[in-house]
Amino acid sequence: MDPALLARATLDPSLQDAEREQKEKAEERERIFERYTQGRSRTDDIEPWEEPNFSHYLMKDQYGFIHEKPIPMESLDKKALKEKQAKERKWYKMVKDWEKDKESSREDAGPTSFPDELKTRIWQGCPNSLRGRVWPLMLRIKEIKHSNEREFGAHIYERMKDKARRNSQDLRQIDLDVHRTYRNHEMFQWKYGVMQQKLFYVLAAYSMFNREVGYCQGMANVVALMLMYLHEEEDAFWALTSLLRGDRYQMNDFFTPRLPKLFRCLDHHMVLRKKFIPAVHKHFNKMQYEPTLYATKWFLQCYLDKLPFSLTLRVWDIFLFEGEEIETAMALAILRTFKKQLVKSNDEQLNEFMSRLAEHQLDEEKIIDNLSETLMELRRARLSHLPKPAVIEEIKPSESLSTLPSHKVKKKKKSKKNDSYNNTMDNGGGSTLPNMHMTSF
């Protein structure tokens, strides 16, 4: 410590307290990171109640979720089985050609181009066995990674992990959330297991990469979903970058302080509800059943945990293809699908039904058809996109942490005040970086 500062600290107890607090936080970060580094080889921090009890688990479903009751085996007749196999062969050929085209094109090739037949097929549902290849292509993971590495140097993900270990203020909350994320799934059931390690590392690294967001509850489930299909933790890191920073999805403001996009979605949902399903709107108002009571997690996590998982995957297939329009269209489609039931329900029945949609046997094809019709109707009415925010508030990242800043936004008039994300990334000597350029798509 500098002798002058040491002398001041001796005279000023507040400086001693600040130094002690800083040291304690650094020690806590190291303890948390070390537990994940050692993984399951260290068991003294694992309580018996935190481990899966297989006496309660009798069967897992095709997606890896473990249930307490036996699940009926899916049985297809010969005709249905042949149709399913034929569909998967068509998908396989399309994906193989798509990957080949990607390999032959430049890594920084312009806006996303999808195969012509993808639109029809994605609405019919991507085969679960191919999501691990289709989702990275739609998210443009390789292009985004190469674009950033050309500008900011190699090994960005590893550098952000190292930086998080030293500086992240979010590790305690990340640690808490990792241990309650999809514990009923075979990949995440073991405390400090391989997939919990990957989930922790991705969230920790991203908390340093995007300091406008840092870490926010809700991100853990999104990253866990990506890890279920992408497996490689760095791919999940760039997938999260695409979802938050990509022009197609624009999820960033769901997780910034005060959650501005969430409230824009809720307000826009009220407008659409009143215009397109006035009977439901009137009944909900009468019951004082506000969108915050049922739609908050719909928008925040794009329906994760709020619908049967098989339907959630269908929604994510379409979301990754169509973009952010799907979030508001799906909310309206759900209410339309159950309109007759909803207008006859009292407030308790409404809350019971809407909060437990994931437990119901839903007609997935009917809901997807309603989603398609709703999206087209909203586009015709020019209401499929959220209205632009009236005021864009500047949120300054912490001065004590460095980052790869957000992508540039075109403004009519550029000012130093709005050029806010010029922080320093620890890159050897620590050079100052310009605003991050994100490939638009």
Side-chain angles (χ1 to χ4, degrees):
M1 188 174 181
D2 185 272
L5 289 177
L6 183 61
R8 282 183 60 198
T10 304
L11 297 174
D12 188 349
S14 64
L15 285 178
Q16 292 178 329
D17 292 341
E19 184 181 359
R20 188 183 308 111
E21 182 181 1
Q22 188 175 11
K23 182 180 179 181
E24 288 173 354
K25 286 183 177 180
E27 290 173 349
E28 181 186 45
R29 283 195 299 271
E30 184 61 28
R31 284 197 302 272
I32 292 172
F33 237 94
E34 188 61 26
R35 286 199 294 266
Y36 284 92
T37 301
Q38 293 185 15
R40 291 188 58 78
S41 62
R42 175 181 178 141
T43 58
D44 55 311
D45 290 322
I46 302 175
E47 299 293 336
W49 62 268
E50 295 179 299
E51 291 288 67
N53 184 347
F54 282 102
S55 65
H56 295 161
Y57 300 143
L58 301 177
M59 189 174 292
K60 66 181 180 182
D61 61 26
Q62 61 177 314
Y63 303 109
F65 286 95
I66 301 168
H67 300 262
E68 295 182 1
K69 295 181 180 180
I71 302 169
M73 296 295 290
E74 182 184 17
S75 59
L76 296 175
D77 57 36
K78 289 185 178 180
K79 182 180 179 181
L81 184 60
K82 284 185 178 180
E83 289 176 353
K84 181 180 179 181
Q85 292 172 341
K87 173 186 173 182
E88 291 184 353
R89 282 196 295 270
K90 290 178 181 179
W91 267 95
Y92 180 81
K93 183 180 184 306
M94 181 190 72
V95 172
K96 187 177 180 180
D97 292 341
W98 191 3
E99 290 172 335
K100 190 175 180 181
D101 290 341
K102 284 280 187 181
E103 290 295 328
S104 61
S105 63
R106 294 189 302 117
E107 290 168 349
D108 60 346
T112 304
S113 58
F114 295 143
D116 294 336
E117 61 270 43
L118 181 62
K119 183 177 180 67
T120 301
R121 290 179 182 168
I122 208 73
W123 278 88
Q124 295 172 350
C126 178
N128 198 49
S129 59
L130 285 172
R131 285 193 172 99
R133 294 169 64 181
V134 173
W135 284 11
L137 292 170
M138 291 195 289
L139 286 161
R140 300 189 77 216
I141 288 175
K142 286 185 178 180
E143 291 92 330
I144 291 174
K145 176 184 176 181
H146 289 306
S147 175
N148 281 281
E149 287 189 338
R150 275 196 304 275
E151 189 159 357
F152 304 118
H155 311 300
I156 292 174
Y157 176 63
E158 292 299 328
R159 286 150 60 194
M160 291 299 101
K161 276 174 62 176
D162 291 341
K163 195 172 203 46
R165 187 166 193 156
R166 297 193 305 273
N167 296 318
S168 179
Q169 303 299 308
D170 298 307
L171 292 190
R172 179 188 294 177
Q173 189 61 53
I174 292 172
D175 180 43
L176 289 172
D177 289 349
V178 163
H179 296 311
R180 54 193 178 203
T181 299
Y182 291 131
R183 293 305 295 275
N184 62 333
H185 192 281
E186 63 177 347
M187 289 184 176
F188 301 100
Q189 61 180 327
W190 298 104
K191 190 171 183 181
Y192 302 123
V194 173
M195 297 307 289
Q196 279 204 359
Q197 289 175 314
K198 291 182 179 183
L199 179 58
F200 174 81
Y201 291 145
V202 171
L203 293 170
Y206 198 78
S207 74
M208 301 306 301
F209 183 72
N210 183 350
R211 288 303 301 146
E212 184 183 13
V213 168
Y215 173 73
C216 178
Q217 287 181 297
M219 293 168 63
N221 287 48
V222 173
V223 173
L225 177 68
M226 294 297 108
L227 286 170
M228 287 180 197
Y229 288 95
L230 308 185
H231 301 299
E232 293 299 327
E233 60 185 79
E234 184 171 0
D235 285 348
F237 173 85
W238 292 112
L240 186 62
T241 303
S242 177
L243 289 168
L244 267 65
R245 291 299 194 183
D247 292 338
R248 181 179 293 274
Y249 313 111
Q250 299 186 35
M251 295 183 76
N252 197 75
D253 283 347
F254 280 129
F255 303 111
T256 52
R258 295 186 291 278
L259 315 177
K261 188 170 182 179
L262 172 61
F263 290 102
R264 286 169 57 209
C265 282
L266 293 170
D267 289 343
H268 191 53
H269 175 66
M270 285 281 279
V271 172
L272 300 181
R273 201 179 72 180
K274 181 178 180 180
K275 179 178 178 63
F276 293 100
I277 40 175
V280 173
H281 179 74
K282 183 178 180 181
H283 184 67
F284 278 21
N285 284 347
K286 181 181 178 181
M287 296 292 108
Q288 298 183 332
Y289 195 56
E290 299 294 328
T292 50
L293 298 175
Y294 63 88
T296 297
K297 282 197 173 181
W298 286 4
F299 297 131
L300 198 62
Q301 298 180 161
C302 195
Y303 302 90
L304 283 173
D305 303 330
K306 292 301 174 183
L307 296 172
F309 193 70
S310 56
L311 177 57
T312 302
L313 291 175
R314 295 282 300 275
V315 172
W316 271 82
D317 290 339
I318 298 166
F319 170 64
L320 295 181
F321 178 82
E322 298 284 359
E324 63 170 342
E325 296 169 291
I326 293 303
E327 294 221 56
T328 48
M330 185 63 185
L332 195 61
I334 291 172
L335 299 188
R336 279 179 154 179
T337 302
F338 302 106
K339 174 183 175 181
K340 292 181 180 180
Q341 179 175 342
L342 295 174
V343 296
K344 296 177 182 178
S345 303
N346 60 33
D347 54 350
E348 290 184 5
Q349 291 168 335
L350 281 174
N351 188 59
E352 174 73 11
F353 179 76
M354 297 292 278
S355 64
R356 304 185 71 173
L357 277 174
E359 300 173 24
H360 295 301
Q361 292 291 328
L362 304 181
D363 186 340
E364 293 186 9
E365 295 305 327
K366 181 180 180 181
I367 294 175
I368 294 297
D369 288 344
N370 281 344
L371 173 59
S372 177
E373 293 172 7
T374 300
L375 181 61
M376 288 189 289
E377 192 171 351
L378 291 179
R379 284 174 173 172
R380 285 194 296 268
R382 298 185 178 181
L383 291 170
S384 61
H385 287 282
L386 296 178
K388 292 183 179 179
V391 178
I392 301 176
E393 296 184 0
E394 178 185 359
I395 301 173
K396 293 183 179 180
S398 169
E399 293 179 357
S400 64
L401 300 178
S402 58
T403 183
L404 286 176
S406 63
H407 61 292
K408 292 181 180 178
V409 178
K410 292 183 180 179
K411 298 182 177 64
K412 291 182 179 179
K413 188 175 181 180
K414 187 175 181 180
S415 66
K416 291 183 179 179
K417 181 179 178 181
N418 290 330
D419 191 12
S420 61
Y421 303 117
N422 292 317
N423 275 341
T424 306
M425 183 176 72
D426 184 9
N427 183 10
S431 59
T432 301
L433 299 173
N435 276 352
M436 176 165 60
H437 171 72
M438 289 293 298
T439 307
S440 62
F441 55 102

